[in-house]
Amino acid sequence: MHPPQNLIDQFKQIVIKSSGNPDFIHHDWFVKYHLEVVNKIAHELLQHYPKANPEIVKVLVWLHDYGKTIDFSNQYRITLEQGRKDLTKLGFAAEFIDKVIEYMEIIDKKMELDISQAPIEVQIVSSADGCSHLTGPFMYFWWYENSSKSFQELMADNIRKANKSWTRKVVLPEARQAFEARYNFVLEQAGELPRTYLG
């Protein structure tokens, strides 16, 4: 189950093109400030887990939000259906596609399942995804795209997003250690001020 890199690159390009669709609300920032960040973090986590299948991880990185770029309100179903179609059309082996879709279903059930008990490839991509939400300008885009909300609502939204990412998605110890300070800072930026500032 090791597809050639050129197939993975072709699928990546399909997702990048879809992400640039002007009808997709996040189209002007999604690739640079989310997908590429998830890809980078997942690549770094792979260095800690040499037994993980890197090709599955790479495809999951580009697949995990694919449906969102096509039909936001039906994103989970579309991710699985269109992902399977595109991977099949590109020539990925059926066994590989089945495994990727199975793992994608686990990632999508993060609120129901304990991701820390999932296959390592799922843990890597889930952790990378969660960490990406705490990186760069990701949280600010919510304010940009929801400017009609009050700042209190926007801060509460960001706290919910950060907490969901931290408690349900980021499961690998290397990721939690590296991103704990970022998580706490996101909470502070969203209004959860510390009891003391100098220690």
Side-chain angles (χ1 to χ4, degrees):
M1 284 203 306
H2 294 284
Q5 183 62 43
N6 71 301
L7 289 187
I8 298 172
D9 290 341
Q10 288 177 56
F11 180 64
K12 172 182 173 181
Q13 290 308 312
I14 289 172
V15 176
I16 288 175
K17 182 177 180 181
S18 184
S19 299
N21 176 0
D23 292 331
F24 173 46
I25 187 171
H26 307 322
H27 71 275
D28 54 354
W29 61 267
F30 200 66
V31 174
K32 180 175 182 179
Y33 293 111
H34 182 55
L35 295 179
E36 289 181 0
V37 175
V38 176
N39 188 54
K40 177 64 175 167
I41 296 170
H43 175 75
E44 292 182 20
L45 285 170
L46 273 169
Q47 311 312 307
H48 295 274
Y49 297 93
K51 291 185 179 180
N53 183 315
E55 289 82 13
I56 288 179
V57 169
K58 291 174 186 177
V59 171
L60 284 173
V61 163
W62 295 99
L63 177 64
H64 82 278
D65 275 333
Y66 184 32
K68 185 179 291 186
T69 72
I70 299 169
D71 183 353
F72 204 96
S73 59
N74 295 297
Q75 58 184 280
Y76 300 112
R77 177 177 59 80
I78 297 297
T79 291
L80 301 175
E81 292 177 359
Q82 191 62 45
R84 182 181 288 278
K85 285 180 186 176
D86 289 340
L87 293 171
T88 300
K89 187 175 180 180
L90 288 171
F92 283 84
E95 182 185 4
F96 180 87
I97 296 171
D98 288 344
K99 185 62 68 177
V100 165
I101 296 300
E102 174 192 343
Y103 286 4
M104 191 65 245
E105 289 178 315
I106 298 172
I107 290 172
D108 286 343
K109 292 179 179 174
K110 60 192 168 289
M111 300 308 291
E112 307 164 37
L113 303 176
D114 181 357
I115 298 295
S116 68
Q117 301 304 307
I120 188 59
E121 293 85 359
V122 171
Q123 294 186 55
I124 289 171
V125 175
S126 177
S127 293
D129 183 31
C131 288
S132 76
H133 300 159
L134 309 172
T135 304
F138 185 92
M139 290 290 182
Y140 295 116
F141 292 125
W142 185 255
W143 292 57
Y144 166 67
E145 293 173 349
N146 295 275
S147 58
S148 62
K149 290 189 173 188
S150 70
F151 76 86
Q152 293 95 338
E153 290 174 304
L154 291 165
M155 289 196 298
D157 289 343
N158 277 358
I159 288 172
R160 280 192 295 272
K161 181 73 170 175
N163 283 335
K164 182 170 79 170
S165 294
W166 191 248
T167 62
R168 304 304 303 179
K169 294 183 177 185
V170 184
V171 296
L172 292 176
E174 296 82 3
R176 292 187 70 82
Q177 181 178 356
F179 280 82
E180 184 174 11
R182 292 173 189 245
Y183 166 63
N184 289 328
F185 188 60
V186 166
L187 295 183
E188 181 178 332
Q189 287 185 314
E192 291 196 357
L193 301 179
R195 288 190 303 108
T196 61
Y197 292 93
L198 300 183

